[in-house]
């Protein structure tokens, strides 16, 4: 029984290590998304854009409440 607990713990640690090794460093106010949206908010797009729920390849995207500016940085919409 004790061996099983140690084995499960080791597998959990291994999974966490692998997940963190695969996720790239994102910029300020960005988050790595395994299932990226094709409708990331941007300064030059209106808020009312209709978006599909398609899962796109993983990448860093702006955190909730932020939009991407012309320089590719995530900022508040008020700062566009």
């Amino acid at each position: 029984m004790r061996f099983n607990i140690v084995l499960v713990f080791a597998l959990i640690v291994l999974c966490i290590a692998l997940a963190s090794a695969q996720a790239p460093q994102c910029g300020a106010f960005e988050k790595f998304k395994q299932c990226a949206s094709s409708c990331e908010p941007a300064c030059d797009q209106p808020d009312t854009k209709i978006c599909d729920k398609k899962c796109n390849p993983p990448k860093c995207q702006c955190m909730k409440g932020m939009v991407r500016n012309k320089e590719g940085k995530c900022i508040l919409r008020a700062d566009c």
Side-chain angles (χ1 to χ4, degrees), residues 35-55:
C35 185
S37 170
S38 58
C39 302
E40 183 180 34
C43 283
D44 60 350
Q45 297 172 349
D47 284 333
T48 58
K49 183 178 179 184
I50 296 172
C51 185
D52 62 6
K53 298 293 181 185
K54 181 180 175 189
C55 183

Side-chain angles (χ1 to χ4, degrees), residues 27-80:
F29 307 111
E30 289 183 329
K31 183 177 180 179
F32 185 76
K33 304 270 182 113
Q34 286 289 345
C35 185
S37 170
S38 58
C39 302
E40 183 180 34
C43 283
D44 60 350
Q45 297 172 349
D47 284 333
T48 58
K49 183 178 179 184
I50 296 172
C51 185
D52 62 6
K53 298 293 181 185
K54 181 180 175 189
C55 183
N56 292 289
K59 68 178 183 177
C60 293
Q61 293 197 295
C62 292
M63 292 178 173
K64 187 173 183 171
M66 309 300 279
V67 296
R68 197 164 296 278
N69 67 9
K70 290 178 183 177
E71 290 78 36
K73 302 209 182 296
C74 295
I75 60 171
L76 292 170
R77 184 169 290 283
D79 294 334
C80 287

